[in-house]
């Protein structure tokens, strides 16, 4: 077997588990992925079976070792990232009492509304906006009210990251990343918010939560012999505390210093930045102390619908382009990008709203929906595609504007995810936001981020910043064009006016029974 010092990252997404092995400079050696099913037992609900998580992780790990030919004893450290707000409960044996309630599950919307109505000071972390039904406290309250026998039987209440860390090490810990950003935990104000939990009827929750809250990259313990056997690894590998996939992705993109904004793209967009001082401002989530790097605060924004709108347009309105793409031997997106790029800024008079599933930030408005203005008989799917891309970029700019108003102005945007495949999309982001777009060589930020945390836990590097700097490399930068930025500003202002003018009308239609 190959004798090469390396680190391993486990990336648990909604659809499957990915295991990546990297050398100590961050060069990928192998990626292996295994799927697992998502169960949707009722509208607004989503669950998964933790046993199926573990089976997929073990299979992917064994495959990665086999395909790489690496001697497992050469692995100097490992860590994990998982979906955030995926909640479990169990006894002290850590055997879940019910399927995991997934991050996307919104059954706790009524509980979240009541949490918001308390007006508690903790709501500053929500940008003084609505509480997300996805968060652990809301789901805990739902379980207490709707499955009381299980809730009271449980002695432990935690997230997916904590369960997986236990399976690896036998240690019951929480990641400050999830606790700070979604549980209202504040390391500077005494930890768990006992007063807030009591206010919302969860005074007994704190005793169930992990008492040991660790920073990402802290050494949790060594890989147990039982876990090592199932994973095809060796016992004793240092396991670092992990965190939520998007936030671990910030580390894998080396956006851990103040000044950089991380833009993680996919079905939705997530915007994450590090700041030196606490920020609590309307429309800005956070700031969360120590959530990614000790001594810094994390701020966050997000767009609910981005790539999902693009996919909707491709699937519903571009049937003729599928035939053309097959003839040309390319993808529908290749044709859309080519044709849209040839159109003028403003898509020949079309302005779109990207609120197909509401607005996450800065408006925090679940009752608005998507819209197109300016459609005429002369417009094509490429026009609508361009309008959608522009609207997504305008949405990103509204979030960056809210950051600027709160005191943070990015000097660069590091991008990962599906948007990296489209140079047109990247250039539009750069031009609208008037900020350089940075693309790293390894765009699988979460998996590399987990490996970086493993490198810190294993003592390869002294801290996250040093490890991220040493294990990431910039591939290229997309610079903004000032003239194009100026031209976009007319449409950007109209985009903002569009929401202000139409929101009340949209609310009445959306909520009409």
């Amino acid at each position: 077997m190959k004798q090469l010092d390396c680190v391993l990252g486990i990336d648990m997404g909604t659809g499957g588990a990915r295991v990546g092995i990297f050398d100590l400079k961050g060069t990928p050696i192998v990626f292996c992925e295994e799927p697992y099913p998502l169960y949707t037992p009722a509208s607004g609900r989503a669950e998964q079976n933790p046993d199926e998580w573990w089976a997929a992780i073990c299979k992917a790990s064994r495959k990665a070792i086999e395909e790489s030919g690496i001697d497992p004893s050469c692995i100097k450290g490992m860590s994990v990232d998982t979906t955030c707000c995926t909640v479990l409960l169990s006894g002290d044996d850590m055997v879940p009492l019910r399927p995991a309630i997934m991050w996307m599950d919104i059954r706790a919307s009524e509980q979240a509304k009541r949490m918001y109505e308390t007006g508690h000071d903790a709501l500053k972390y929500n940008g003084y906006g609505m509480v997300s039904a996805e968060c652990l406290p809301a789901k805990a309250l739902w379980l207490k009210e709707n499955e009381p026998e299980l809730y009271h039987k449980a002695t432990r209440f935690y997230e997916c990251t904590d369960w997986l860390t236990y399976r690896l090490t036998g240690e019951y810990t929480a990641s400050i990343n999830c606790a700070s950003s979604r549980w209202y935990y504040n390391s500077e104000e005494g930890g768990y918010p006992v007063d807030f939990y009591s206010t919302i009827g969860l005074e007994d929750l704190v005793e169930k939560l992990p008492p040991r809250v660790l920073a990402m990259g802290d050494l949790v313990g060594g890989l147990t012999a039982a876990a090592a056997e199932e994973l095809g690894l060796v016992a004793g590998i240092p396991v670092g505390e992990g965190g939520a996939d998007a936030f671990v992705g910030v580390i894998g993109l080396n956006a851990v210093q103040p000044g950089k904004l991380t833009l993680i793209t996919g079905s939705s967009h997530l915007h994450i930045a590090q700041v030196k001082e606490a920020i609590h401002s309307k429309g800005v989530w956070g700031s969360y102390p120590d959530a990614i790097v000790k001594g810094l605060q994390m701020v966050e924004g997000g767009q609910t619908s981005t790539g999902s709108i693009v996919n909707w347009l491709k699937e519903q309105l571009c049937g003729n382009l599928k035939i053309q793409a097959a003839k040309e031997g390319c993808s529908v997106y290749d044709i859309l990008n080519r044709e849209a790029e040839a159109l003028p800024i403003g898509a020949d008079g079309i302005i779109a709203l990207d609120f197909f599933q509401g607005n996450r930030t800065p408006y925090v408005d679940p009752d608005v929906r998507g819209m197109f203005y300016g459609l005429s008989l002369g417009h094509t799917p490429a026009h609508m595609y361009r309008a959608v891309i522009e609207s997504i970029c305008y949405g990103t700019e509204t979030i960056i504007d809210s950051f600027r108003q709160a005191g943070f102005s990015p000097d660069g945007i590091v991008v990962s995810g599906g948007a990296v495949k489209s140079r047109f999309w990247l250039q539009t982001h750069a031009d609208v936001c008037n900020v350089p777009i940075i693309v790293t060589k390894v765009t699988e930020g979460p998996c590399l981020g987990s490996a970086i945390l493993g490198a810190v836990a294993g003592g390869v590097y002294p801290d996250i910043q040093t490890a991220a700097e040493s294990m990431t490399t910039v591939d290229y930068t997309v610079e903004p064009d000032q003239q194009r930025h100026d031209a976009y500003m007319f449409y950007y202002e109209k985009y903002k006016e569009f929401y202000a003018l139409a929101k009340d009308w949209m609310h009445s239609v959306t909520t009409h029974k």
Side-chain angles (χ1 to χ4, degrees):
M1 303 188 82
K2 297 178 185 176
Q3 301 297 311
L4 175 66
D5 288 348
C6 55
V7 284
L8 183 147
I10 299 174
D11 172 28
M12 277 187 60
T14 304
R18 196 175 205 204
V19 172
I21 300 177
F22 304 82
D23 69 20
L24 301 187
K25 291 297 183 183
T27 305
I29 297 170
V30 67
F31 289 108
C32 288
E33 202 164 353
E34 287 294 328
Y36 37 70
L38 176 72
Y39 304 99
T40 52
S43 176
R45 300 190 181 187
E47 299 180 348
Q48 284 186 331
N49 183 341
D51 289 337
E52 292 174 339
W53 291 342
W54 184 248
I57 291 167
C58 291
K59 189 173 181 180
S61 176
R62 287 184 167 277
K63 187 185 294 185
I65 291 297
E66 180 181 354
E67 291 185 8
S68 68
I70 294 290
D71 184 339
S73 65
C74 292
I75 296 174
K76 300 303 179 185
M78 61 187 293
S79 188
V80 305
D81 68 84
T82 73
T83 54
C84 189
C85 299
T86 293
V87 173
L88 305 97
L89 71 169
S90 71
D92 290 348
D93 59 5
M94 296 293 282
V95 176
L97 295 172
R98 68 176 319 287
I101 300 179
M102 294 298 292
W103 64 272
M104 66 178 70
D105 188 301
I106 56 170
R107 71 182 73 188
S109 57
E110 178 58 35
Q111 287 74 18
K113 181 180 178 181
R114 280 189 270 129
M115 288 168 62
Y116 172 71
E117 290 172 348
T118 66
H120 196 279
D121 182 60
L123 298 175
K124 64 187 180 185
Y125 300 110
N126 299 108
Y128 301 100
M130 292 297 294
V131 173
S132 172
E134 297 175 9
C135 72
L136 178 142
K139 287 172 176 168
L141 189 56
W142 186 92
L143 285 164
K144 186 174 184 178
E145 294 174 350
N146 293 273
E147 298 181 5
E149 287 189 18
L150 288 183
Y151 179 87
H152 291 296
K153 181 180 180 181
T155 58
R156 295 184 176 185
F157 209 101
Y158 44 90
E159 287 204 27
C160 174
T161 302
D162 313 320
W163 180 85
L164 180 53
T165 301
Y166 178 86
R167 288 299 301 258
L168 296 173
T169 66
E171 298 289 335
Y172 183 43
T173 66
S175 169
I176 196 171
N177 177 247
C178 299
S180 176
S181 63
R182 297 296 183 266
W183 306 1
Y184 299 91
Y185 181 96
N186 190 315
S187 57
E188 298 175 350
E189 298 177 1
Y192 291 115
V194 177
D195 177 65
F196 179 50
Y197 285 174
S198 297
T199 300
I200 61 177
L202 288 174
E203 58 282 339
D204 56 346
L205 179 62
V206 172
E207 65 187 26
K208 301 175 188 286
L209 297 172
R212 188 180 170 202
V213 181
L214 300 181
M216 290 203 290
D218 280 359
L219 176 63
V220 179
L223 186 67
T224 67
E229 183 175 0
E230 291 188 84
L231 293 163
L233 304 177
V234 296
I237 294 173
V239 178
E241 185 63 62
D245 45 14
F247 304 136
V248 174
V250 173
I251 297 169
L253 297 171
N254 190 24
V256 293
Q257 300 289 354
K260 292 291 184 289
L261 175 73
T262 304
L263 175 59
I264 296 177
T265 70
S267 297
S268 61
H269 275 185
L270 196 59
H271 315 71
I272 306 164
Q274 304 292 293
V275 296
K276 293 180 180 179
E277 304 295 334
I279 291 175
H280 300 296
S281 180
K282 186 172 178 60
V284 177
W285 287 358
S287 58
Y288 310 115
D290 304 322
I292 294 181
V293 175
K294 295 176 185 177
L296 294 177
Q297 307 253 344
M298 182 182 82
V299 292
E300 179 188 358
Q303 293 165 267
T304 307
S305 302
T306 53
S308 55
I309 307 175
V310 176
N311 183 68
W312 166 83
L313 189 147
K314 176 179 74 76
E315 292 299 320
Q316 302 300 326
L317 303 178
C318 298
N320 61 322
L321 294 184
K322 291 181 180 180
I323 299 172
Q324 182 181 343
K327 290 180 179 179
E328 294 185 15
C330 64
S331 74
V332 171
Y333 288 130
D334 291 330
I335 297 173
L336 286 171
N337 281 317
R338 182 180 71 214
E339 294 185 357
E341 194 167 11
L343 296 171
I345 288 171
D348 278 333
I350 301 179
I351 298 176
L353 277 191
D354 55 318
F355 303 156
F356 277 46
Q357 293 170 282
N359 177 270
R360 185 181 293 169
T361 63
Y363 306 125
V364 196
D365 189 342
D367 293 327
V368 292
R369 292 294 180 267
M371 192 178 291
F372 290 89
Y373 170 77
L375 286 170
S376 72
L377 296 178
H379 286 121
T380 67
H383 285 89
M384 296 183 70
Y385 176 76
R386 176 158 194 134
V388 165
I389 296 298
E390 290 178 347
S391 75
I392 291 168
C393 295
Y394 299 151
T396 294
E397 176 63 3
T398 63
I399 290 168
I400 294 176
D401 262 350
S402 69
F403 284 176
R404 292 186 185 112
Q405 292 168 24
F408 169 73
S409 184
D411 55 29
I413 301 174
V414 190
V415 180
S416 73
V420 173
K421 299 176 183 178
S422 170
R423 190 63 179 247
F424 166 62
W425 199 339
L426 295 180
Q427 187 65 59
T428 307
H429 267 98
D431 292 342
V432 169
C433 302
N434 207 25
V435 178
I437 301 291
I438 301 163
V439 180
T440 58
K441 284 191 174 180
V442 178
T443 58
E444 294 86 354
C447 203
L448 176 56
S450 287
I452 288 172
L453 294 175
V456 174
V460 178
Y461 295 103
D463 52 51
I464 288 174
Q465 295 97 321
T466 304
E469 183 67 28
S470 302
M471 296 180 68
T472 61
T473 305
V474 172
D475 190 12
Y476 62 91
T477 299
V478 180
E479 296 290 344
D481 182 293
Q482 185 63 50
Q483 287 187 326
R484 294 176 67 82
H485 171 73
D486 294 342
Y488 275 121
M489 285 303 95
F490 171 83
Y491 298 100
Y492 173 60
E493 291 300 325
K494 296 304 175 186
Y495 167 90
K496 290 193 294 183
E497 290 175 19
F498 202 166
Y499 172 75
L501 288 169
K503 65 178 180 178
D504 292 339
W505 182 87
M506 287 192 283
H507 290 168
S508 67
V509 175
T510 303
T511 59
H512 180 70
K513 301 297 183 183

